[in-house]
């Protein structure tokens, strides 16, 4: 299950207090469903949401669960309710010790998806990503922008933070991280622009707020036919691994590795649905 999370392109949030949407989310085409106990659920619905999520997991529906952050009134009850989750998304992840304590409270083997969405989280991203049990990091653009006092839709304002998360994932050997949400649900141009920025900076997945975003996100993080043709040609021309030239381009080990990753991505994506 952790491998699927590591290679997924699309992560679809579903409010935990809306069990009528759980099956629809599972059938939406999203690679991973994220049952949300945090931002999407008001204080008066937290207990009901926790019960719905617990029942869904108990029925062996695989999912990631976003719990409420440590220090909130709901954290301990959330942790107690999500024992069957494939992984837990931890909001406001800021330091290694705090995330390691969350891991200690969860059943052994539960994956961690730290959500880096504060200034402290960005500064400490390397240490957070290095915590044992971290499957993949995610970037929280909206909360971070609010803290910094910038527009969450601005690529320029958040480019440093996004790049910091990508570098932290790479230096700790984690998969390329998950980009934040696009809040403009009916603006396909905005979604496409966000996807282009994410791909350029090195993300390989995205958090989604609505099923209508899934197709574009899956397409945006999948290698194009042109990319795959290039990768196959590079590997064919690389021969015994020595430096060579193909159509005027020098082929050395980094170029070969990029070609191999593109071809691997084309075959790795599987939807999490109905069993391990």
């Amino acid at each position: 299950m952790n491998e699927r999370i590591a290679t997924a392109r699309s992560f679809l949030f579903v409010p935990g207090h809306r069990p009528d949407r759980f099956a629809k989310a599972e059938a939406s085409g999203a690679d991973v469903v994220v049952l949300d106990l945090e931002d999407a659920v008001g204080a008066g619905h937290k207990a009901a949401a926790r019960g719905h999520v617990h029942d869904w997991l108990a029925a062996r529906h695989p999912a990631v669960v976003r719990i409420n952050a440590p220090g909130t009134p709901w954290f301990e009850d959330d942790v107690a309710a999500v024992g069957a989750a494939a992984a837990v998304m931890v909001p406001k992840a800021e330091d290694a010790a705090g995330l390691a304590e969350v891991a200690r409270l969860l059943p052994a083997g539960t994956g961690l998806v730290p959500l880096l969405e504060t200034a402290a989280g960005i500064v400490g991203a390397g240490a957070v990503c290095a915590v044992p049990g971290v499957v993949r990091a995610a970037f929280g653009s909206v909360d971070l922008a609010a803290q910094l006092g910038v527009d969450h839709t601005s690529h320029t304002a958040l480019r440093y933070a996004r790049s910091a998360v990508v570098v932290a994932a790479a230096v700790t050997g984690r998969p390329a991280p998950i980009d934040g949400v696009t809040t403009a649900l009916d603006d396909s141009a905005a979604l496409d622009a966000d996807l282009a920025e994410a791909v350029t900076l090195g993300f390989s997945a995205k958090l989604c707020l609505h099923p209508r975003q899934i197709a574009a996100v899956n397409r945006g993080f999948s290698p194009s036919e042109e990319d795959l043709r290039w990768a196959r040609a590079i590997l064919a021309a690389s021969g015994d691994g020595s430096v060579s030239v193909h159509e005027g381009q020098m082929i050395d080990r980094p170029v070969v590795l990029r070609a191999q990753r593109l071809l691997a991505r084309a075959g790795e994506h599987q939807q999490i649905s109905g069993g391990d």
Side-chain angles (χ1 to χ4, degrees):
M1 188 65 68
N2 284 349
E3 183 177 349
R4 295 183 182 182
I5 294 169
T7 60
R9 301 156 295 177
S10 51
F11 291 74
L12 178 62
F13 281 122
V14 187
H17 65 301
R18 294 298 305 272
D20 55 306
R21 297 183 182 179
F22 292 1
K24 295 176 183 177
E26 195 173 57
S28 68
D31 290 331
V32 176
V33 171
V34 182
L35 303 179
D36 192 12
L37 296 175
E38 197 214 11
D39 282 351
V41 182
H45 297 286
K46 297 286 189 184
R50 195 179 297 119
H52 294 314
V53 168
H54 176 272
D55 291 347
W56 184 256
L57 296 173
R60 299 188 59 80
H61 293 281
V64 172
V65 179
R66 179 165 69 169
I67 61 175
N68 287 277
T72 64
W74 311 286
F75 169 72
E76 292 183 0
D77 288 338
D78 285 356
V79 168
V82 300
V88 170
M89 183 176 290
V90 183
K92 307 297 189 296
E94 295 184 336
D95 63 86
L99 188 61
E101 176 61 16
V102 174
R104 188 187 69 78
L105 297 172
L106 293 166
T110 303
L112 299 173
V113 180
L115 189 53
L116 300 166
E117 54 184 343
T118 65
I122 298 303
V123 172
V128 169
C129 288
V131 171
V134 169
V135 180
R136 197 172 186 182
F139 177 63
S141 52
V142 178
D143 281 37
L144 178 63
Q147 182 184 10
L148 299 180
V150 300
D151 181 358
H152 75 271
T153 67
S154 170
H155 295 158
T156 302
L158 295 178
R159 189 163 291 150
Y160 163 78
R162 279 192 165 93
S163 292
V165 175
V166 172
V167 171
V171 78
T172 55
R174 305 306 186 193
I178 310 158
D179 194 26
V181 299
T182 295
T183 56
L185 301 183
D186 297 315
D187 189 340
S188 60
L191 179 58
D192 289 343
D194 286 353
L195 286 167
E197 175 77 356
V199 170
T200 296
L201 294 181
F203 288 85
S204 61
K206 186 172 179 63
L207 302 174
C208 301
L209 295 174
H210 196 279
R212 72 171 65 105
Q213 297 176 323
I214 298 301
V217 169
N218 285 348
R219 184 169 59 249
F221 289 111
S222 297
S224 67
E225 283 302 317
E226 181 179 353
D227 289 335
L228 296 177
R229 284 194 296 271
W230 173 86
R232 294 185 189 106
I234 290 297
L235 294 184
S238 64
D240 61 2
S242 302
V243 174
S244 57
V245 176
H246 174 68
E247 295 183 353
Q249 178 181 0
M250 184 183 75
I251 303 174
D252 57 6
R253 178 169 173 75
V255 174
V256 171
L257 288 175
R258 178 171 182 269
Q260 290 173 336
R261 290 190 187 105
L262 283 170
L263 291 175
R265 280 172 53 199
E268 285 180 353
H269 302 306
Q270 299 181 26
Q271 183 179 0
I272 296 181
S273 61
D276 294 335

